[in-house]
Amino acid sequence: MPPIRAAARHAALAAFSLGLLFAGPAIAQPKPTVVVMGEDADEDSVPRGNRIFQRVIAELSETMNLRGYNVYDETAVAMGFTQANRVRRRDAELIEVARAVSSPPLDVVAVFQIYASASKSAYSDIVRPEVRIPGRLLNVRTGQSLGAFEVAGLQLPPLPQGCDRECLLERVGAEAKAIAGDVAAALTAKLDGVVAPRRGAEPGAAAVPGAVAAPVAGGPTAEACGGLPTAYVVRLNGFSAQEVQAAEEYMAAFRCYEHHRPVRAGGAAAEYWYETRSDSARLGRNLRLMLEHMSAPGQVQFSGNTFVLSRVATR
């Protein structure tokens, strides 16, 4: 590339990066949307629809809701395309259902299981309930594990003499609800750590040769990058090799950028795995601004976790 053209591009990239850094007030990243789902494929686990199951899912949802997360009911958001009363579902089905929900887009699925039983003492007629609840967090788009926690092995109060099935369900349900609160608190703490704002996550224009340096991390003009680390697929169609190289430098200068990795590259197309703490709205806006600064007529389409940038050829 001629030195004059390269210098011009670097100057434009510096101006574009600084515009992203300083234009307008800092935009707070919304907390991720969460759906709580129970996996009951194991025949030994408590099935969906059981009153113990319902008390546990309610406690998990309420705890995460009180911690500031937007928690959605699975039946309410998925009833249009799935059978609401299905039981014995594996995690693959749960993840597929979560990915299929588009209104609202779900970011995190909290999957839990319930194992409940009652055992009689070998030395007396005392019967104690036993409850174990493992839970885990998954990124809906990428499948990345965000954390897991399990409560088990607690010495629970014995059941009263003559405790029938109704008594057993109520006593075990009460214990399971209390345990679910502990599991929810631990999972929420793990999720808080994942989405916690990070200083210095913005490489800014300093990552590009010849560009003006970005503000010092943690300084008065630096914005903390919070939000769920999310991966997108970015496809470039119809761009020249020079335009693809310029686009890659622009994308590396976006605010809250984590890193990217080329997936496929050819003469007429390129594809990247792009990880960022920005939400899809901000990333889409930055990509459209990028095309404008590159003076490259094009269109930006978005679906699921994929952005497609298509070059519009002109005379």
Side-chain angles (χ1 to χ4, degrees):
M1 179 179 295
I4 297 178
R5 182 180 299 178
R9 193 183 74 195
H10 288 152
L13 180 55
F16 174 76
S17 301
L18 290 175
L20 290 180
L21 286 170
F22 297 117
I27 302 174
Q29 290 284 356
K31 283 197 172 183
T33 55
V34 180
V35 62
V36 181
M37 310 175 81
E39 179 187 348
D40 56 355
D42 189 342
E43 294 292 337
D44 293 331
S45 63
V46 175
R48 184 186 188 191
N50 185 285
R51 72 179 71 174
I52 299 176
F53 186 100
Q54 298 301 331
R55 295 179 76 170
V56 167
I57 196 171
E59 185 66 20
L60 287 167
S61 300
E62 179 66 5
T63 301
M64 302 188 80
N65 181 59
L66 293 176
R67 292 288 290 270
Y69 290 95
N70 299 316
V71 183
Y72 290 88
D73 180 77
E74 177 198 349
T75 302
V77 298
M79 61 186 295
F81 53 87
T82 60
Q83 184 179 347
N85 297 321
R86 275 184 54 81
V87 297
R88 299 306 180 191
R89 302 178 303 170
R90 296 187 178 277
D91 56 353
E93 180 178 349
L94 302 180
I95 295 171
E96 185 176 16
V97 170
R99 287 178 175 174
V101 175
S102 59
S103 181
L106 300 175
D107 300 313
V108 176
V109 55
V111 182
F112 69 93
Q113 295 171 290
I114 309 171
Y115 293 94
S117 62
S119 60
K120 186 176 180 180
S121 171
Y123 307 102
S124 66
D125 57 353
I126 295 177
V127 179
R128 292 184 181 274
E130 297 179 1
V131 179
R132 179 169 67 89
I133 303 180
R136 54 198 174 101
L137 300 169
L138 296 175
N139 186 314
V140 172
R141 292 189 181 92
T142 66
Q144 179 186 8
S145 176
L146 303 177
F149 191 78
E150 176 179 321
V151 175
L154 299 178
Q155 187 75 9
L156 301 178
L159 298 174
Q161 286 292 327
C163 187
D164 57 9
R165 182 178 183 276
E166 183 72 16
C167 166
L168 179 63
L169 289 175
E170 286 300 316
R171 288 299 185 98
V172 174
E175 299 296 343
K177 179 181 178 181
I179 293 175
D182 295 336
V183 174
L187 292 180
T188 307
K190 290 178 179 290
L191 193 53
D192 287 343
V194 173
V195 303
R198 295 175 58 230
R199 293 285 180 181
E202 169 61 53
V208 182
V212 180
V216 178
T221 56
E223 176 187 333
C225 289
L228 183 70
T230 306
Y232 298 93
V233 176
V234 179
R235 294 185 185 138
L236 305 175
N237 295 328
F239 293 88
S240 66
Q242 292 79 10
E243 289 173 331
V244 169
Q245 181 179 349
E248 188 172 350
E249 293 177 352
Y250 273 104
M251 290 190 294
F254 289 166
R255 181 177 296 283
C256 300
Y257 160 86
E258 294 280 323
H259 71 273
H260 72 280
R261 181 179 302 174
V263 176
R264 183 172 60 91
E271 183 174 312
Y272 298 93
W273 181 260
Y274 184 88
E275 296 192 15
T276 177
R277 285 180 176 260
S278 290
D279 56 28
S280 58
R282 175 183 284 187
L283 180 57
R285 182 170 61 251
N286 286 347
L287 291 173
R288 288 189 292 271
L289 286 172
M290 178 188 74
L291 294 182
E292 180 180 340
H293 278 260
M294 289 172 57
S295 299
Q299 295 181 350
V300 178
Q301 287 88 27
F302 173 69
S303 179
N305 72 323
T306 301
F307 283 93
V308 179
L309 283 68
S310 301
R311 181 75 151 87
V312 177
T314 57
R315 292 182 63 179

